Amino acid sequence: MATDSVKTEVGSYFISNYPPFSQWSEDYIPDLQQALASEPRPGVPLGLYLHVPFCRKRCKFCYFRVYTDKNGSEVETYVSALVDEIELVSKQAAMGGRPFRFVYFGGGTPSFLSPKQLQRLEDRLRKSISWDQAEEVTFECEPGTLSETKVKTLRDMGVTRLSLGIESFSDKILEENGRAHLSKEVYKAWEWIEKAQFPNVNIDLIAGMVGETWDTWRENLVKTLELSPECVTIYQMELPFNTVYSKDILGNKIETPVADWPTKRAWVSYAFDELAKAGYSQSSAYTMIKDPTKISFSYRDNLFGGADLLATGVASFGHISGVHYQNKTEWADYTGDLLEKKQLPLKRAYRPTPEQMLIRETILLLKRGYLDVDYFQTKFGVNIVEKWRPIWDEYVETGLATVDGNRIELTRDGLLRADGLLPPFFEEQHQGVRYT
């Protein structure tokens, strides 16, 4: 996406990896299998992602692999497959006896599972793995799926960080955008969460949901500050190809219902200002944290810095010993007989070149808002200022970044359009290709 785009068009904007996912293929599966069967690279931390793909409803802006029509028996089928996969993963040489530094339960809606299902899942997982030494265990929650018993169960499981998908405090906007919860469920859940005393609770907001106005956005910030979470993450609404909104726009040739980029950036900038007034500090292009001495982001920082991530669950993405990969993306393929045959449900992969690994780490770490030039010189033997001098010069000239000795830093304007600043670093063959 160009940095000067105005209208919110259909297409991916948020960048989470490199090279683009559209370039991954089955041709690299042998590379992946070799990586899994080999001892890990020295000193590389290990993480685990578990995908729980169930939701009460599908949000109109959602582009993840989720299911809203599965009964209890099908949920159990999936959980059993997930446990079987993790048992297989735990036996791979790539584990190397390493403890998990970070664990992430994502979705979908992991909190869709009942307390009993969560307890059974934990009991079965712990026969193969442990996360007791992890710096961070994150669990994504939809407010309406929580109960006091479930929140206590999560705390007992060893979850250290809850991420609560509030998105908006306006019931009208929540309903318009297809969210399953309403604001009253947020406040019920918050009482239970505070009582359980999680070390870190994050609130997700989305700037620019359909129906958003300046008044509703200001109210979002008032109510967020009343809750006073440890962390606030703010995304700008986008329209990837496979969302309900995108299909409607493309199929019926209607105008985009999402606010334009300058408006969304203005809303996020306002939010940053209000949070800063309340004592929050900038942690990335999306996050503000209350206490930098207390809150760290093990999942984000390790993953951006090239850590190994074992991905489990349907359609999940991982990275092991320099090879990217994704699991089977269809229910039948994932829950079928592959796991019964003791075969991992792998769909596609990609082995980046050293140049691509440098690009990946540069663009992902830039999303934090700054880069340490010496870090890249030490790790890759490359001076990233000189390598991409024309790009940095342009960003400095246009007020998007500063370059001062060893530090490259995004300005406020740069932070607000961080993902739009990343494609110029892509190699020529990846310029303009579809991202997903």
Side-chain angles (χ1 to χ4, degrees):
M1 175 184 169
T3 58
D4 58 354
S5 294
V6 173
K7 196 174 179 181
T8 302
E9 304 281 8
V10 173
S12 296
Y13 171 74
F14 190 85
I15 290 172
S16 59
N17 217 329
Y18 184 80
F21 298 109
S22 62
Q23 307 302 296
W24 302 14
S25 74
E26 293 180 1
D27 296 341
Y28 289 93
I29 293 294
D31 293 65
L32 171 60
Q33 291 170 330
Q34 181 183 6
L36 287 166
S38 303
E39 290 295 313
R41 298 166 297 174
V44 177
L46 178 66
L48 175 68
Y49 178 85
L50 304 95
H51 185 54
V52 182
F54 308 109
C55 289
R56 294 195 293 166
K57 289 175 65 178
R58 185 178 185 88
C59 304
K60 295 179 184 178
F61 54 82
C62 176
Y63 56 95
F64 296 112
R65 174 65 66 190
V66 300
Y67 302 95
T68 59
D69 58 348
K70 300 302 181 185
N71 59 35
S73 174
E74 290 170 313
V75 171
E76 177 55 33
T77 294
Y78 181 85
V79 170
S80 294
L82 184 63
V83 169
D84 289 346
E85 183 188 5
I86 289 176
E87 182 182 358
L88 280 179
V89 162
S90 71
K91 296 175 181 177
Q92 301 298 312
M95 284 283 294
R98 291 176 290 175
F100 290 115
R101 184 173 293 184
F102 55 95
V103 176
Y104 198 104
F105 291 81
T109 307
S111 57
F112 179 92
L113 300 179
S114 70
K116 287 184 178 179
Q117 287 172 325
L118 287 169
Q119 288 169 341
R120 287 203 304 271
L121 174 61
E122 180 190 9
D123 290 343
R124 293 161 72 182
L125 289 176
R126 285 190 179 274
K127 292 177 181 178
S128 302
I129 61 170
S130 170
W131 50 81
D132 293 341
Q133 296 182 58
E135 296 173 345
E136 178 182 275
V137 180
T138 299
F139 201 98
E140 291 184 343
C141 300
E142 184 254 286
T145 61
L146 293 177
S147 65
E148 187 168 11
T149 302
K150 190 178 295 187
V151 169
K152 184 179 185 302
T153 299
L154 294 176
R155 193 72 181 94
D156 292 343
M157 282 175 61
V159 172
T160 64
R161 180 176 181 268
L162 280 190
S163 187
L164 198 61
I166 292 176
E167 323 308 4
S168 174
F169 286 89
S170 163
D171 287 347
K172 184 177 179 181
I173 289 175
L174 291 170
E175 288 178 329
E176 162 58 37
N177 289 264
R179 290 293 290 172
H181 77 276
L182 295 176
S183 57
K184 63 182 180 182
E185 293 168 301
V186 171
Y187 294 105
K188 282 184 186 176
W190 197 255
E191 291 180 15
W192 304 324
I193 289 169
E194 285 194 315
K195 186 176 178 182
Q197 296 184 317
F198 286 87
N200 182 0
V201 182
N202 170 73
I203 280 180
D204 276 351
L205 298 176
I206 299 178
M209 293 176 77
V210 175
E212 195 82 79
T213 66
W214 265 108
D215 286 342
T216 61
W217 185 248
R218 290 190 187 98
E219 189 67 12
N220 277 338
L221 269 296
V222 169
K223 292 183 175 179
T224 295
L225 289 168
E226 287 173 353
L227 296 182
S228 190
E230 282 74 29
C231 176
V232 181
T233 302
I234 306 173
Y235 298 103
Q236 297 178 45
M237 182 77 144
E238 59 172 312
L239 294 168
F241 286 96
N242 61 336
T243 70
V244 171
Y245 282 136
S246 299
K247 291 175 182 176
D248 197 29
I249 291 167
L250 295 173
N252 297 314
K253 309 296 184 185
I254 64 171
E255 276 294 305
T256 175
V258 178
D260 60 31
W261 289 106
T263 301
K264 287 183 290 187
R265 290 174 192 139
W267 286 337
V268 176
S269 187
Y270 170 82
F272 286 165
D273 286 340
E274 293 301 297
L275 289 163
K277 289 177 190 174
Y280 285 74
S281 302
Q282 196 91 42
S283 178
S284 79
Y286 325 97
T287 52
M288 297 284 283
I289 54 177
K290 195 192 305 185
D291 184 354
T293 65
K294 176 185 173 186
I295 301 302
S296 62
F297 292 87
S298 184
Y299 177 84
R300 179 194 73 189
D301 294 344
N302 281 294
L303 195 61
F304 285 5
D308 286 341
L309 177 68
L310 290 170
T312 59
V314 64
S316 58
F317 293 94
H319 177 84
I320 192 76
S321 296
V323 181
H324 301 321
Y325 70 98
Q326 184 185 25
N327 271 352
K328 296 287 189 184
T329 56
E330 300 300 328
W331 177 276
D333 293 333
Y334 179 77
T335 61
D337 60 0
L338 277 176
L339 288 166
E340 292 177 10
K341 296 176 182 177
K342 306 300 182 184
Q343 297 177 28
L344 289 172
L346 309 172
K347 178 178 175 62
R348 58 177 178 164
Y350 192 96
R351 181 184 285 281
T353 65
E355 171 76 1
Q356 290 166 347
M357 293 298 285
L358 168 64
I359 294 171
R360 176 186 185 270
E361 206 153 319
T362 300
I363 63 177
L364 293 184
L365 287 173
L366 187 58
K367 287 156 73 82
R368 294 184 310 180
Y370 67 93
L371 295 173
D372 181 327
V373 178
D374 285 349
Y375 168 87
F376 290 91
Q377 186 69 55
T378 300
K379 184 169 183 177
F380 296 96
V382 175
N383 184 312
I384 59 171
V385 175
E386 295 306 320
K387 179 176 177 61
W388 287 300
R389 174 68 72 180
I391 297 175
W392 299 126
D393 285 349
E394 179 186 346
Y395 290 170
V396 169
E397 185 178 340
T398 54
L400 299 173
T402 61
V403 178
D404 185 8
N406 184 48
R407 188 175 176 92
I408 299 168
E409 190 163 350
L410 296 183
T411 63
R412 169 63 66 82
D413 284 345
L415 284 168
L416 295 173
R417 61 182 74 204
D419 285 274
L421 303 184
L422 308 182
F425 295 95
F426 290 10
E427 294 165 294
E428 185 176 353
Q429 69 266 31
H430 298 141
Q431 295 284 344
V433 304
R434 180 162 167 168
Y435 184 68
T436 55

